Amino acid sequence: MLSQEVIKKLNDQVTKEMFASNLYLSMSSWCFRNRFDGAGQFLFEHAGEESNHAKKLITYLNETDSVVELQSVAKPESNFKSLLDVFEKTYQHELSITQSINDLVSFMLEQKDYSTFNFLQWYVAEQHEEEALFRGIVDKIKLIGEQSNGLYLADQYIKNLSGK
Ligand code: FEO
């Protein structure tokens, strides 16, 4: 049995993961519109991963006989300044998700909810990987440069990250 507070916080995290999924879908479409097909494909796939993060939380709530109360998901932005702007925003977004997971982990420890604390360790490891992944892309775009040849190379580099 989870406490009502824990259930509420996990439901809130579901909304955050769904927002991330929609944000990355929106970014993916911006990339396709601007002929960054590699980045578009990568973000489209990553949106699926975010949706899976939400589903994993929902499964945990279901397994503990908790109420799943889906909430409205805010509208993500759909216009971006550049490919670098897109990935700087993904990275900032991942940092905010990490903060949210860390807050959840601290809360579970305070509450002595060791089962949920243990469940959340998967998210802790995942956030470590995602921060490194998105920071790596930002660094690579900066390194390759934002002239047209550089952007083409950056797009190819991001395409090869699909599925990671
Ligand atoms: Fe579900 Fe990218 O954090």
Side-chain angles (χ1 to χ4, degrees):
M1 271 302 251
L2 303 182
S3 76
Q4 288 309 309
E5 260 186 305
V6 168
I7 293 171
K8 163 91 176 64
K9 284 182 184 291
L10 294 181
N11 269 287
D12 288 347
Q13 189 64 31
V14 168
T15 310
K16 289 178 188 173
E17 302 289 351
M18 288 181 131
F19 176 77
S21 181
N22 285 356
L23 176 63
Y24 295 167
L25 276 180
S26 179
M27 289 171 160
S28 161
S29 298
W30 182 91
C31 289
F32 281 122
R33 274 204 311 283
N34 288 279
R35 305 295 172 260
F36 296 120
D37 291 354
Q41 182 185 326
F42 169 81
L43 285 164
F44 190 83
E45 285 178 18
H46 207 83
E49 283 196 30
E50 298 301 341
S51 165
N52 285 340
H53 297 171
K55 286 182 188 160
K56 201 173 169 73
L57 284 155
I58 290 172
T59 300
Y60 182 77
L61 286 163
N62 288 337
E63 283 170 354
T64 51
D65 232 359
S66 310
V67 175
V68 172
E69 223 167 352
L70 295 180
Q71 302 155 17
S72 318
V73 180
K75 179 178 185 289
E77 57 182 306
S78 50
N79 279 313
F80 302 93
K81 290 202 282 283
S82 62
L83 190 65
L84 181 60
D85 182 41
V86 166
F87 281 95
E88 278 179 335
K89 283 180 174 153
T90 60
Y91 179 51
Q92 288 307 317
H93 192 71
E94 288 303 328
L95 291 180
S96 77
I97 295 283
T98 299
Q99 186 58 54
S100 172
I101 296 292
N102 289 346
D103 290 347
L104 280 176
V105 168
S106 304
F107 183 78
M108 300 313 154
L109 263 190
E110 275 166 29
Q111 298 286 306
K112 298 189 170 30
D113 183 338
Y114 300 118
S115 170
T116 308
F117 173 83
N118 186 47
F119 164 72
L120 288 171
Q121 297 312 303
W122 184 88
Y123 287 84
V124 172
E126 182 71 7
Q127 283 312 118
H128 172 77
E129 280 185 19
E130 299 218 327
E131 276 188 30
L133 178 65
F134 285 106
R135 194 184 56 239
I137 295 173
V138 169
D139 288 348
K140 199 63 89 183
I141 296 171
K142 286 182 179 166
L143 191 67
I144 296 175
E146 289 198 89
Q147 285 75 38
S148 59
N149 280 355
L151 282 174
Y152 177 75
L153 286 176
D155 190 51
Q156 291 299 304
Y157 169 80
I158 296 164
K159 180 181 182 180
N160 291 331
L161 292 174
S162 287
K164 294 202 174 135

